[in-house]
Amino acid sequence: MSINQIGVIGYGKIGSKTVDLLLRENIQPVVVVRNPDKAKALEDDYAPAQLGSDIRPIFTTHYETLEQSDSVIVTASVATEVIITTKNRNSLIEYNTRILCEVASKLARNISKDTLIVTMTNPVEGMVYILKNAGGFESKKVIGVGTAVEAARYETLISKTLGVAREQVVSTVIGGHNENDSVFLPKCTKVGQLPLLHFNLSAEDLLDLQNQAKTSGMKILQKSSQSAALTPAALAVNLAKAHLSTNAKRVVNCTMEVPLAFVNEMLGDDAIESDEPTVTLGLLALLNCHGAEPQKIPLSPIDTQNLSTAVQNIIKQQEMVRKMTDFCGVDRRVGEGVKGKG
């Protein structure tokens, strides 16, 4: 019986949570770390039986070990101490751009073009842009755990407020993964078969729940000096599992690069003029082994305005990232070397 493999880049707090969750799903993690001594120590010390699994993770410093991985989850990021000092995802751009430029280059030379790349590195919109463009991958094969985090937290808050089972709440959050650019869509949020707007929640109640969902990640960081790990790790594993499906598509909330024209069709009269041909943002998509297919969502006038503002902010970030990748000396021709299966 063959064992599914999923690669993990980085083994900090989020990376270690990701490995544990993969083992619980009987998926073999192939973990790439920088230090060979750390790789050897982790491999000798790891006890998967405590997680109810007979599968042992592979720890390595070699990207070529990822060749058989169906997906690769990128958790590599600057140290938590720097995140605490900056207190803003956008200020992480310079640090994490350098890290992911290196990751993109190495992935492009060592994984199949059919492999899905999932990242949690912040700011996620900029990091998806780097991985896709610096690595030369197709946009449908590079996605991020972005507004899915806000959606998950929003769903938990709604379930507690209404006293309903958590698994019955499904919400949609699009735009950017930060306090200013995440766009919550109450009309696309359901509790079981009922729309959220069926329940007796005022506009002020909904806004308060949304603000809590937006800010909880930063509050965790400020109070514990550690970034949230379990929620983004679980979401990334779910995205990677959806990619294992050969036929059935799953509706997922993810961050991906799409043509600006695609977004402008959703924005209508609030369409954006920009020299950028594409934009990377949180959307709904259909995901299976062939990759992610972005889906257009009908928007209310206020949702349209909010998304238009978010997209303009994301484009500014994207322009900044592009300049930094040029500064890092990324060879965009590296994508020509992306491997094909066989």
Side-chain angles (χ1 to χ4, degrees), residues 256-269:
M256 64 183 298
E257 184 182 89
V258 296
L260 182 59
F262 177 95
V263 178
N264 277 338
E265 287 184 29
M266 294 171 56
L267 294 176
D269 292 339

Side-chain angles (χ1 to χ4, degrees), residues 18-68:
T18 302
V19 169
D20 290 349
L21 292 170
L22 289 171
L23 289 171
R24 291 180 187 276
E25 298 288 342
N26 288 315
I27 296 170
Q28 185 174 41
V30 181
V31 189
V32 178
V33 296
R34 282 180 169 272
N35 189 320
D37 292 334
K38 180 178 181 179
K40 179 67 168 60
L42 287 169
E43 192 146 308
D44 289 344
D45 184 61
Y46 211 91
Q50 294 180 5
L51 299 171
S53 175
D54 294 326
I55 300 172
R56 292 191 66 84
I58 297 170
F59 291 92
T60 180
T61 58
H62 303 294
Y63 275 72
E64 55 263 32
T65 313
L66 299 170
E67 187 174 11
Q68 299 303 316

